[in-house]
Amino acid sequence: MQTSQFLILLIVFIAVMTGGMYGFTKLASKMVTRAIQDRLHALQEVVEGRIPDVWLKPFQRRVVALRRNAASDAQFARLGGRIQKHCLRNLDEMTRYVTNVNMVDSEVTKQEIVGLLETYQQTWPTKDWRAWIADVEELDTPRAIEEDQTDSLSADNMS
């Protein structure tokens, strides 16, 4: 009797561990895939000359709150500085990622992308705080709507 209970317990344990490992593997795979996709989307936005929306979104509520409360220029300047610092940190990380990970078709392409990122590393620090605030305020504006409409029009024309 004791041996059969131990055997059943062992089988249940093995089944639970196998199921847990399978579930964890699937979850980890989805998380890694999502992280890579987010990074590539942000890289695409930077290459197109825009600051990635995901980098600016964390500041959206704060900018709205400052506007609503008629904040001073000094408060906006501090927030603009934080936005700039955050985006520059992300840009540095993006540059390291592109430099260290082989994700392009050739070394020439890699060097072009790294060169572009390095150019932004030099120009973004000179950008005025007002421009950073304006970038945050442009989120979810007609530009995104226009891009969506352009994409759907292109798809319709190809049909």
Side-chain angles (χ1 to χ4, degrees), residues 74-140:
Q75 290 173 305
F76 276 108
R78 275 195 301 277
L79 181 59
R82 279 192 231 128
I83 296 168
Q84 180 183 44
K85 186 176 180 180
H86 174 76
C87 290
L88 285 170
R89 205 174 320 123
N90 284 332
L91 185 63
D92 288 342
E93 193 275 326
M94 176 79 63
T95 305
R96 279 192 303 280
Y97 179 75
V98 171
T99 303
N100 296 327
V101 175
N102 187 18
M103 55 183 262
V104 293
D105 60 348
S106 70
E107 190 63 30
V108 173
T109 304
K110 181 178 182 177
Q111 291 306 317
E112 286 178 12
I113 293 172
V114 170
L116 182 62
L117 295 174
E118 289 172 347
T119 299
Y120 288 134
Q121 285 176 321
Q122 294 169 3
T123 58
W124 285 8
T126 62
K127 195 171 169 180
D128 186 54
W129 64 264
R130 290 172 189 85
W132 291 104
I133 298 294
D135 287 337
V136 171
E137 290 177 325
E138 285 179 11
L139 294 174
D140 302 324

Side-chain angles (χ1 to χ4, degrees), residues 4-145:
S4 64
Q5 287 176 339
F6 177 73
L7 190 57
I8 291 171
L9 185 61
L10 182 62
I11 290 171
V12 169
F13 176 76
I14 290 171
V16 168
M17 290 300 291
T18 303
M21 288 190 312
Y22 177 77
F24 179 74
T25 301
K26 286 293 194 181
L27 178 65
S29 174
K30 286 183 181 190
M31 290 172 62
V32 168
T33 300
R34 176 67 180 205
I36 291 170
Q37 287 173 339
D38 289 348
R39 208 173 265 191
L40 290 175
H41 183 71
L43 177 61
Q44 179 182 354
E45 287 183 90
V46 170
V47 168
E48 291 172 354
R50 298 189 321 260
I51 299 167
D53 291 349
V54 295
W55 295 0
L56 298 172
K57 274 205 184 286
F59 300 97
Q60 199 171 22
R61 286 187 193 157
R62 181 75 174 135
V63 169
V64 169
L66 288 178
R67 286 278 181 231
R68 193 176 325 117
N69 297 330
S72 67
D73 279 354
Q75 290 173 305
F76 276 108
R78 275 195 301 277
L79 181 59
R82 279 192 231 128
I83 296 168
Q84 180 183 44
K85 186 176 180 180
H86 174 76
C87 290
L88 285 170
R89 205 174 320 123
N90 284 332
L91 185 63
D92 288 342
E93 193 275 326
M94 176 79 63
T95 305
R96 279 192 303 280
Y97 179 75
V98 171
T99 303
N100 296 327
V101 175
N102 187 18
M103 55 183 262
V104 293
D105 60 348
S106 70
E107 190 63 30
V108 173
T109 304
K110 181 178 182 177
Q111 291 306 317
E112 286 178 12
I113 293 172
V114 170
L116 182 62
L117 295 174
E118 289 172 347
T119 299
Y120 288 134
Q121 285 176 321
Q122 294 169 3
T123 58
W124 285 8
T126 62
K127 195 171 169 180
D128 186 54
W129 64 264
R130 290 172 189 85
W132 291 104
I133 298 294
D135 287 337
V136 171
E137 290 177 325
E138 285 179 11
L139 294 174
D140 302 324
T141 59
R143 182 191 78 196
I145 295 168

